[in-house]
């Protein structure tokens, strides 16, 4: 088991990707805290149960309290995964200031706050030549853009830049910082995209739309939460001791191709 004896906290830990990460961490022997707004989850969690922390990542007092609990109970934090996020399917023309601010509050400020208050606990873990691992969630939409996701794309670009900055600042402390940049992953957020107006289904046949999305990928499929959890697990482990400051794209080859040249 790659994570035996390690303590991990996963924000968005009851959602599709976050829940799969928690399950994988548990299977690898870690003590896991699943932080989310609701204790209910979208996926089964085999192999045990993560400790639940109710957490709104945009609220500084709640983030501070969550890290205080981890410190009291575990004494350190080896792994932080910032998987909490929201998506608004609108152009900037149709996005309200409240929606724009909420997107940044969760996706960017939430990443900032959890990282800020986790750092003292992660320094405690990064001793005797070991490293701590901080894993943010960007998106392939931080490199290129899907239509109708303006605020979401902007937040993910910000997370990418923040990831690089933190890797430079905290690498000397033994803290590795990376970002996972998923493409289309089979989660409740993706299904909402398919059924939404904006850039999603817009009343079209959902099955046909799902197949069209699969067909545009070189791998002819979109990913699963377990695909993401596999990469997160490696980045969290000591096997990735020299991996830091990178944006790891996992999108089935989607962003590698020139879309307008596809026949």
């Amino acid at each position: 088991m790659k994570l035996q004896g390690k303590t991990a906290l996963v924000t968005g830990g009851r959602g599709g990707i976050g829940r799969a990460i928690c399950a994988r961490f548990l299977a690898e022997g870690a003590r896991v805290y699943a932080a989310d707004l609701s204790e209910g989850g979208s996926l089964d969690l085999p192999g045990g149960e993560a400790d639940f922390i109710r957490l709104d990542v945009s609220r500084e007092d709640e983030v501070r309290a969550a890290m205080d609990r981890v410190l009291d109970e575990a004494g350190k934090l080896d792994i932080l995964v910032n998987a909490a996020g929201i998506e608004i399917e609108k152009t900037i023309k149709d996005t309200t200031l409240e929606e724009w601010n909420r997107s940044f509050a969760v996706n960017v400020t939430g990443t900032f706050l959890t990282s800020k208050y986790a750092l003292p606990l992660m320094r405690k873990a990064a001793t005797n030549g070991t490293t701590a691992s901080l894993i943010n969630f960007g998106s392939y939409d931080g490199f290129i853009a899907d239509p109708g996701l303006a605020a979401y794309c902007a937040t993910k670009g910000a997370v990418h830049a923040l990831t690089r900055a933190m890797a430079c600042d905290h690498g000397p402390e033994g803290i590795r910082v990376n970002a996972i940049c998923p493409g289309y992953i089979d989660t409740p957020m993706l299904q909402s995209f398919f059924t939404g107006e904006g850039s999603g289904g817009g009343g079209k046949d959902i099955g046909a739309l799902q197949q069209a999305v699969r067909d545009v990928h070189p791998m002819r499929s979109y990913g699963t939460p377990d695909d993401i959890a596999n990469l997160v697990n490696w980045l969290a482990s000591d096997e990735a001791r020299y991996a830091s400051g990178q944006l790891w794209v996992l999108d089935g080859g989607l962003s590698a191709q020139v879309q307008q040249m596809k026949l």
Side-chain angles (χ1 to χ4, degrees):
M1 293 190 289
K2 287 186 171 67
L3 305 181
Q4 189 71 45
K6 295 186 182 294
T7 301
L9 186 146
V10 181
T11 72
R14 296 294 189 177
I17 290 174
R19 200 166 177 85
I21 293 169
C22 287
R24 182 60 185 272
F25 282 178
L26 286 167
E28 294 288 346
R31 178 174 186 175
V32 181
Y33 291 89
D36 213 322
L37 290 171
S38 172
E39 191 166 1
S42 57
L43 300 172
D44 291 334
L45 192 59
E49 190 68 30
D51 292 317
F52 175 72
I53 299 177
R54 192 201 175 281
L55 177 62
D56 180 342
V57 295
S58 69
R59 293 183 58 88
E60 187 174 19
D61 57 336
E62 292 190 17
V63 173
R64 188 187 295 111
M67 297 306 170
D68 286 345
R69 175 179 164 185
V70 175
L71 179 61
D72 289 343
E73 295 180 359
K76 65 184 174 77
L77 184 64
D78 301 271
I79 304 157
L80 172 64
V81 181
N82 286 312
I86 60 173
E87 179 183 281
I88 295 174
E89 298 173 20
K90 294 183 179 181
T91 67
I92 60 168
K93 173 181 175 293
D94 298 323
T95 302
T96 66
L97 180 59
E98 181 180 6
E99 290 170 332
W100 176 268
N101 287 340
R102 182 60 181 163
S103 294
F104 272 84
V106 175
N107 296 355
V108 183
T109 303
T111 298
F112 155 71
L113 286 173
T114 52
S115 301
K116 175 182 176 67
Y117 287 103
L119 284 171
L121 284 74
M122 301 187 83
R123 292 189 193 104
K124 291 178 179 294
T127 57
N128 300 320
T130 63
T131 60
S133 180
L134 196 161
I135 302 167
N136 294 325
F137 263 76
S139 172
Y140 92 113
D141 273 320
F143 298 100
I144 56 179
D146 280 310
L149 293 176
Y152 182 77
C153 292
T155 64
K156 294 307 180 178
V159 169
H160 293 181
L162 181 60
T163 297
R164 293 189 179 103
M166 289 197 299
C168 294
D169 289 339
H170 304 292
E173 301 169 342
I175 299 170
R176 298 181 291 107
V177 186
N178 292 279
I180 306 291
C181 306
Y184 286 77
I185 306 298
D186 191 7
T187 63
M189 181 182 288
L190 179 62
Q191 298 311 317
S192 175
F193 172 82
F194 284 140
T195 58
E197 295 299 327
S199 57
K204 300 176 184 177
D205 178 77
I206 300 303
L209 181 63
Q210 290 172 331
Q211 190 58 49
V213 169
R214 294 187 185 97
D215 288 344
V216 80
H217 288 70
M219 297 294 295
R220 297 298 185 264
S221 66
Y222 39 78
T224 69
D226 285 339
D227 292 324
I228 303 298
N230 290 337
L231 180 54
V232 172
N233 184 67
W234 179 75
L235 285 172
S237 75
D238 293 336
E239 288 184 355
R241 58 165 292 278
Y242 203 52
S244 191
Q246 301 304 305
L247 309 176
W248 301 80
V249 179
L250 201 63
D251 67 355
L254 178 62
S255 58
Q257 65 186 352
V258 180
Q259 296 296 326
Q260 63 266 33
M261 295 294 291
K262 185 176 182 296
L263 299 178

